[in-house]
Amino acid sequence: MKTRVKRKVMFRSLRLSLRFIVPLVIALAVLAYSVVPLVDRLYLRWSVRDMDIRSKLIASTLQEPLTDLLQQGNKYKINALFSRALRDERLFALGYCDEGGNMLYRTPTFPKDLTCASPGLSADQSGSLLKLPRLLVHVTANPMTYEGSPAGTLILVHDMSFFERRSTDTRKYIILLFVVLGVVTSLITVLVAHLSWRGWIDGVRAMLRGEGILRPFSHSTNTELEPLVGDLRNLLRTFDEERRLADDATISWTPDTLRGLLRKQLSGDQMLVVSNREPYIHMKGKLGIEVKRPASGMVTAVEPVMRACSGTWIAHGGGTADREVVDRHDRVSIPPGHAYYTLRRIWLTKEEEAGYYYGFANEGLWPLCHIAHVRPIFRTNDWERYVAVNQRFADAVVEEANSDDPVILVQDYHFALLPAMIRGLLPRATLITFWHIPWPNPESFGICPWREELLQGMLGSTILGFHTRFHCKNFLETVDRYLETRIEHESSTISHGSMLTLVESYPISIQWPPPLQETQPPVEECRAWVKQALQLDPDHLIGLGVDRLDYTKGIFERLQAIEHMLDLHPEMIGRFTFIQIAAPSRSVLEDYQALDTRVRSLAMRINERFSRGSRQPVCLKVEHHEPEAINRYYRAADVCMVTSLHDGMNLVAKEYVASRDDERGVLVLSQFTGAAHELHEALIVNPYHIEQTADALFQALTMPDFEQRERMLSMRAIVSDFNVYRWAGRMLIDAARIRQREKLAVRIGRPL
Ligand code: F6P
């Protein structure tokens, strides 16, 4: 067994070595192959240059005796002079040509093929090489002078065989050099590779033991692997998330589950909710006091949780008859006629509402957090009101708390400062803050003049919840950029002072089974009701949009897409009507008034272009609708369009799906909503892309029944599994876990 393991290790190490050696050897061989001829050529050039110099030297030495002997015509002495010169081992032959080009003297070794007229023997040329049958020679023509006049040419022939001998030797040395180089570099490379490999393996092992993730790297660990830490952390988080989801999936989430959780895990501690918008609004009507439910995703989600858990909900009392129904402590039991929980109303002056709600929250933070290309406005006056109103709500929380450690659910961007304020007053409280809108990137958030104060305020929370992981990541990066804190990415916590805040994603949802499931009219009845009200044929197709009249909802772009669809598909004219329910919202603000005008005039233009008799393509209803009426529209609609330009979650998408127990209807959903991360079977669109949205609308209107059914079934399964009780339950489970840790830490007298 041991030998097998050893052999395996050896084999792996051989493979690793070969991975480095083979390319190295190939590279060196190619290099050697191209270097040898290069060196040959260079050496030859140097040798020829040496021979040229040498020839000139010999010629100038022979010039005087030779010309003298030529004048005397002493043939014998000339031959003797040539023979003496030939004693030089490199000089192979000599010859003399007269001015007429006749070879008068030459040594017996002089090559036969070489004549005074041979090409290359011009006096003004440097030496040239000549290949004889068994010899390579270097030939130069050296002009002679006698008393200043030309006196023929001396031809010197040098033996170049030494060059061939040396060239062979050089080639041998170069190849040897490359072999040695190859061996040495291979050994060094393999050694370094093995050491690095071992270092990396040790580093990865250290990371798997938690170094760099749960605690800093130890000094001995190879920190080159630090760039991988982030990836590993994300992987661990995903695993953890999946494990938690799998755990949750074994629970069927109902109001009872949630109640049980509160009882068991949080020992029945009091639950307080704080939000700006109240869940029930009392209004003076023609027939006396009427109760209205606001168009608010936050209320849709939190109200069923409060019904299940009881407790007190603290909110701004904005209804015209709100004061008339409260007791002397400004409390009223709700829902009307049931008294499941208490609503504590806070009264705001006109100035407070203008600065805190309209100003800082909705002209500042709202556009700041949504990418909808509306500029945020920050005014010092608004900020001061925002601080003051947050403090008023913090005081109200303390008044309503019947212990020093209640569970407090803080809702939304209206109360960024509230968690730290409550923490100051009730240090042992469990604070769960949920941010219902997106969280932007650090650069965008950074333009808020009070960014540090807002972040510090939020970090008073025990748990800070966002809809998506992406918003959590943006928040962690924002804190990292602007505050001095310690961020643990693995556990997604932020330590600041003695506080620890868990930043987690909890995708919000709706009540399931849907609240109206038992009482709602059948789908056919809902269709007939809508069509009768709008005087439409029984087979007329209905599209629906349900939103607050808000620039983030993409209502204008949606109408543009409808117009484009009718342009492209004239067969739909007179056969299709889009009902847009737009709840008036924040209408004192200029941006909202401008949107109202634009939407109305576009709807009018579309109707002018495409109306056929009484059948209008767009039916714009800018008025408040109660949930029962909206549900009837949902059930009547063939298509529901949710085309927000940016949205935290968007619960209209989930409500539409929940309303369709007939498993029909198509959802067209913006990719920029949190809901698009869950409802994959919707027709996902980019709302800025008008043509694409128009195509999706047409696809929805012509989608076969079986496909509608498949898609709707799958989306209903998601919404029923991930209902709002699970959303609240997951936060409470996390809160309970943190509370237990804190209690244990107090008991043992040190942080865990
Ligand atoms: O989407 C954010 C949010 O606060 C929701 O929670 C709520 O549905 C909506 O805005 C309502 O806004 P307002 O309370 O200003 O009418």
Side-chain angles (χ1 to χ4, degrees), residues 228-505:
L228 291 182
V229 167
D231 296 340
L232 201 59
R233 272 193 197 129
N234 285 343
L235 190 68
L236 288 173
R237 282 203 61 76
T238 314
F239 284 158
D240 191 43
E241 190 91 330
E242 278 167 12
R243 185 189 52 73
R244 280 160 45 130
L245 289 177
D247 288 352
D248 289 358
T250 55
I251 308 172
S252 152
W253 287 96
T254 64
D256 281 339
T257 329
L258 205 57
R259 263 191 294 272
L261 193 75
L262 199 61
R263 214 176 29 245
K264 267 201 238 139
Q265 306 245 25
L266 292 156
S267 4
D269 288 323
Q270 181 197 20
M271 189 142 109
L272 292 162
V273 167
V274 188
S275 74
N276 171 71
R277 187 61 63 202
E278 52 184 345
Y280 292 89
I281 309 174
H282 289 91
M283 300 293 286
K284 287 178 187 158
K286 286 187 199 120
L287 305 170
I289 294 178
E290 293 167 6
V291 183
K292 301 222 178 235
R293 278 159 296 168
S296 157
M298 181 278 297
V299 170
T300 306
V302 179
E303 213 272 334
V305 173
M306 271 310 265
R307 280 184 189 228
C309 300
S310 301
T312 300
W313 187 325
I314 303 168
H316 167 216
T320 48
D322 274 355
R323 286 176 192 263
E324 294 178 25
V325 296
V326 294
D327 64 14
R328 63 195 176 87
H329 301 292
D330 300 325
R331 297 181 188 134
V332 56
S333 293
I334 48 169
H338 290 288
Y340 289 139
Y341 60 97
T342 304
L343 173 62
R344 158 77 193 274
R345 283 179 167 145
I346 305 290
W347 316 115
L348 299 180
T349 62
K350 282 267 163 287
E351 293 71 32
E352 280 175 327
E353 200 181 349
Y356 136 83
Y357 173 74
Y358 287 113
F360 196 76
N362 286 317
E363 285 192 292
L365 291 180
W366 180 267
L368 180 77
C369 292
H370 288 90
I371 307 165
H373 313 289
V374 169
R375 286 168 74 112
I377 301 171
F378 292 108
R379 305 180 194 92
T380 305
N381 276 349
D382 293 346
W383 166 250
E384 284 164 1
R385 298 259 187 242
Y386 185 83
V387 177
V389 171
N390 271 245
Q391 190 59 58
R392 287 198 54 201
F393 275 78
D395 296 339
V397 168
V398 178
E399 281 163 31
E400 294 301 325
N402 54 24
S403 72
D404 68 344
D405 63 349
V407 177
I408 305 166
L409 272 61
V410 177
Q411 306 301 314
D412 236 345
Y413 60 100
H414 310 91
F415 294 115
L417 304 177
L418 196 59
M421 288 175 171
I422 300 176
R423 176 75 55 218
L425 299 166
L426 295 172
R428 297 190 53 226
T430 299
L431 276 148
I432 303 175
T433 301
F434 194 80
W435 197 260
H436 289 259
I437 60 176
W439 188 274
N441 61 40
E443 291 74 29
S444 305
F445 188 77
I447 66 172
C448 174
W450 296 280
R451 60 192 186 199
E452 284 88 3
E453 287 88 335
L454 291 170
L455 294 173
Q456 270 154 359
M458 292 172 78
L459 291 182
S461 317
T462 319
I463 294 178
L464 191 47
F466 293 92
H467 290 298
T468 66
R469 214 38 242 153
F470 182 64
H471 297 155
C472 294
K473 189 176 145 282
N474 276 352
F475 181 80
L476 292 173
E477 283 171 6
T478 308
V479 171
D480 199 18
R481 178 81 59 91
Y482 301 115
L483 290 187
E484 278 296 319
T485 57
R486 220 183 77 216
I487 297 178
E488 294 290 348
H489 289 276
E490 200 271 332
S491 54
S492 196
T493 51
I494 303 176
S495 309
H496 45 103
S498 57
M499 270 295 303
L500 189 78
T501 302
L502 169 69
V503 180
E504 193 50 271
S505 63

Side-chain angles (χ1 to χ4, degrees), residues 522-593:
V523 165
E524 281 319 315
E525 206 178 297
C526 295
R527 280 189 205 280
W529 171 75
V530 171
K531 287 176 187 172
Q532 197 186 5
L534 300 179
Q535 298 180 4
L536 303 172
D537 297 337
D539 62 346
H540 202 84
L541 293 166
I542 304 282
L544 178 69
V546 178
D547 311 83
R548 282 181 307 101
L549 190 48
D550 192 299
Y551 52 77
T552 60
K553 302 295 177 184
I555 301 172
F556 187 79
E557 290 73 8
R558 190 181 306 164
L559 293 182
Q560 285 182 311
I562 290 164
E563 183 176 32
H564 190 65
M565 191 279 287
L566 292 172
D567 270 329
L568 287 180
H569 302 284
E571 70 275 21
M572 284 290 168
I573 300 171
R575 278 196 61 210
F576 165 69
T577 294
F578 188 80
I579 303 169
Q580 176 62 55
I581 293 177
S585 182
R586 307 168 192 172
S587 36
V588 299
L589 300 181
E590 260 175 37
D591 284 313
Y592 287 78
Q593 290 165 6

